[in-house]
Amino acid sequence: MRVRSVLSVTVLAGGLVLFLQPAGAAVSEVRQSSAVITDVVEYQCTTTGATEKQNIKVKVEMTMPAAATTGEQMSIGWQGTYADGTGLKAPATGLTADTSLYAYASISGLTGLTSATGVGTPGTVDANQVIPLPTAPVSLSTTSSNAGTATVRPAALNFGTATNAPSIKCAVQNQATLTTHPLTVTAADQTGTETGTDTGTEPETEPETGGNGRVQQTPSGPAATGGGGERGPDGRMFLLTGSLLILTATTGLLLRRRAWR
């Protein structure tokens, strides 16, 4: 009888320990994840001083932030490689070492926020040579003052010594077929009244047409656990721990009574 009683207590205690595993343990990886989606973007590029336009295709991989908060700078990852044997050639004058690549993303659905921009370095390129795209990911930065859900697409790709003075401007030709990336911005202060501000600069070469691209969902925000993140430890811990102590004490008394007999 003593062996059966002790065994019962051990089984019950083990079950309670398993039940008390924190619910957020399986959610932590989801909160830190982000969506990575790849598209082949068709560009038509215009070079200052040249009459001939160049048509290129760039395989663009965009990484959405796992979390974005109002009033804080967010970062969208951008990485591009030429596709289908195409490549953008430098003008007859070549590209100087201070030339930068300016990659854009178009954002719709949030008031006052239309784009994000990032800067990469292609390096010095000789005349009529293919301009290399950065091998490292480019971070497209922007800040939203409004909470909500937006959609993001690859946008213009420019080259120059300044954002407002590009020597090569590449505009998207197949925007309507590109994947729409969902972006969720959470309010940092639920009590304040927010207004929209746009930290990006929408390039003039980017067409503003609507799209019917595919939508991929990505997890955003913490999982609903009932109590919320600010209500302290889960009450189940105290309730079940107390039950375990009472059960252990009761079993001990039963064992002692049987031993006296």
Side-chain angles (χ1 to χ4, degrees):
M1 292 298 294
R2 293 182 181 180
V3 175
R4 291 183 179 179
S5 300
V6 173
L7 181 59
S8 299
V9 172
T10 304
V11 172
L12 288 173
L16 289 172
V17 170
L18 291 175
F19 185 77
L20 287 172
Q21 290 295 322
V27 184
S28 58
E29 294 184 359
V30 175
R31 294 176 182 175
Q32 297 172 359
S33 66
S34 56
V36 180
I37 309 173
T38 303
D39 268 317
V40 175
V41 185
E42 299 176 5
Y43 288 102
Q44 185 173 82
C45 303
T46 303
T47 303
T48 302
T51 57
E52 185 178 355
K53 299 180 184 297
Q54 298 185 59
N55 294 314
I56 62 172
K57 293 182 180 180
V58 179
K59 184 179 180 180
V60 176
E61 181 181 273
M62 299 188 72
T63 306
M64 295 296 102
T69 306
T70 56
E72 296 182 4
Q73 182 173 281
M74 71 183 82
S75 178
I76 299 172
W78 183 99
Q79 189 162 20
T81 55
Y82 291 117
D84 297 342
T86 64
L88 178 64
K89 292 184 179 181
T93 56
L95 292 181
T96 59
D98 59 347
T99 299
S100 296
L101 171 146
Y102 299 97
Y104 293 88
S106 64
I107 303 175
S108 58
L110 284 174
T111 303
L113 186 65
T114 59
S115 67
T117 181
V119 183
T121 304
T124 303
V125 184
D126 294 333
N128 300 317
Q129 296 299 308
V130 174
I131 302 172
L133 299 177
T135 56
V138 177
S139 179
L140 313 186
S141 301
T142 191
T143 303
S144 176
S145 294
N146 291 301
T149 301
T151 54
V152 182
R153 292 187 181 92
L157 190 63
N158 296 341
F159 295 84
T161 56
T163 55
N164 58 353
S167 57
I168 303 176
K169 298 186 291 185
C170 300
V172 177
Q173 302 299 298
N174 63 331
Q175 186 188 37
T177 64
L178 297 179
T179 302
T180 54
H181 309 269
L183 173 66
T184 300
V185 180
T186 304
D189 183 4
Q190 298 289 347
T191 61
T193 301
E194 299 170 347
T195 58
T197 58
D198 187 359
T199 59
T201 302
E202 183 73 6
E204 295 180 358
T205 57
E206 179 62 19
E208 298 181 356
T209 58
N212 58 355
R214 305 175 303 279
V215 178
Q216 290 209 12
Q217 299 296 331
T218 180
S220 60
T225 57
E230 298 181 356
R231 296 192 180 183
D234 197 328
R236 295 177 301 172
M237 178 68 73
F238 300 107
L239 177 60
L240 293 174
T241 301
S243 299
L244 178 60
L245 292 175
I246 294 173
L247 179 61
T248 302
T250 303
T251 304
L253 291 175
L254 290 174
L255 291 175
R256 292 183 61 185
R257 291 181 61 186
R258 289 173 180 173
W260 291 341
R261 293 178 183 178

